[in-house]
Amino acid sequence: MTQPTILVTGATGKVGGALVAQLHAAGVPVRALVRGNTPDFPEGVQAVRGDLGDPASLGTALEGVDAVFLVWPFLSAEGASDVIDAIGKHARRVVYLSSAGVGDGNGGRDGAEEPDEAITLFHTELERLVEASGLEWTALRPTGFAGNTLGWAEEVRTTGAVRAPLAALARPLIHEADMAAVAVQALTTDALLGARPLITGPELVTQERQVELIGEAIGRPVRFEEITLSEAAAEMKAAGYPAELVEAIVPAQAKMLADPEPVNDEVERITGTPARSFREWARDHAADFR
């Protein structure tokens, strides 16, 4: 019998790219959804054009697919219902990349039923749509992505310093390879059906220490230059980040100083391998900062 195919959305991103590579390495037929030019996927990975913003464009990508890894690229849930309906016409399972900030009274960080912060709000709505779809489902709830610190790469390369607020902010940042490894289990086994696992990095690491570890990885010191929250918000907006995103991220990070994200061993429980440290992530991405 032919092994079922898995469609990975967000396949050109950090988590999606790692997932495509891991599924392919495991011999699982994998299809990558792309919007524009086709990147260099491993030989044997099928790249198919489609746009989550245009559900009608997904038919070819979904044909013959058994399961879908869903990464939602927008800041609202508008249009998500149509996309999930399209998935349901072809696949039997969807694994949604959600957020640790989603709370439902049973596994979220604060048990909030109606979040009022933009990112958490759309993730909450996507989870509701997925759960109501009639599909087999899993909602993965990761803490902060280690890969987001790649936003510091240019200033590390050019100035040897990182200007950011909240030097003491400590987070259990998670390696994209660990998120992908959990997703492989959710997509290819029944171990996580109907589950909303909170997946974290192995330890809390302050932003100042993250910068030090990046310096260790590239073989030269990198300084952390602390700025105020208002300066950070102004710089993000000037760089083109949507105002609603800035207004969600900055206060949420400030709140984490007193109420940090939890740390658990779910990655090891699910995959059998301990979660990678931020030091390992920095070493894996040293070339990006040099």
Side-chain angles (χ1 to χ4, degrees), residues 101-106 108 110-116 120-121 124-125 128:
V102 175
D104 62 358
N106 183 24
D110 58 9
E113 287 291 350
E114 293 297 336
D116 58 3
T120 301
L121 184 63
T124 299
E125 182 59 23
R128 289 174 177 167

Side-chain angles (χ1 to χ4, degrees), residues 94-174:
V94 61
V95 174
Y96 175 59
L97 185 63
S98 185
S99 165
V102 175
D104 62 358
N106 183 24
R109 292 189 63 235
D110 58 9
E113 287 291 350
E114 293 297 336
D116 58 3
E117 176 263 291
I119 298 173
T120 301
L121 184 63
F122 86 76
H123 279 305
T124 299
E125 182 59 23
L126 261 292
E127 283 197 22
R128 289 174 177 167
L129 290 170
V130 165
E131 292 169 23
S133 67
L135 291 159
E136 298 175 352
W137 61 268
T138 303
L140 305 181
R141 293 177 173 178
T143 52
F145 295 9
N148 287 344
T149 62
L150 288 170
W152 296 337
E154 183 177 357
E155 55 186 334
V156 169
R157 290 192 298 265
T158 57
T159 71
V162 169
R163 284 172 43 85
L166 306 172
L169 171 63
R171 303 188 69 183
L173 298 181
I174 186 167

Side-chain angles (χ1 to χ4, degrees), residues 24 41-46:
H24 180 66
F41 290 113
E43 185 177 354
V45 173
Q46 182 183 12

Side-chain angles (χ1 to χ4, degrees), residues 260-283:
E261 294 159 303
V263 179
N264 65 31
D265 62 356
E266 283 289 87
V267 169
E268 182 172 11
R269 183 188 69 81
I270 293 167
T271 69
T273 303
R276 296 164 175 86
S277 67
F278 187 82
R279 173 181 270 112
E280 290 176 272
W281 181 90
R283 288 172 178 166

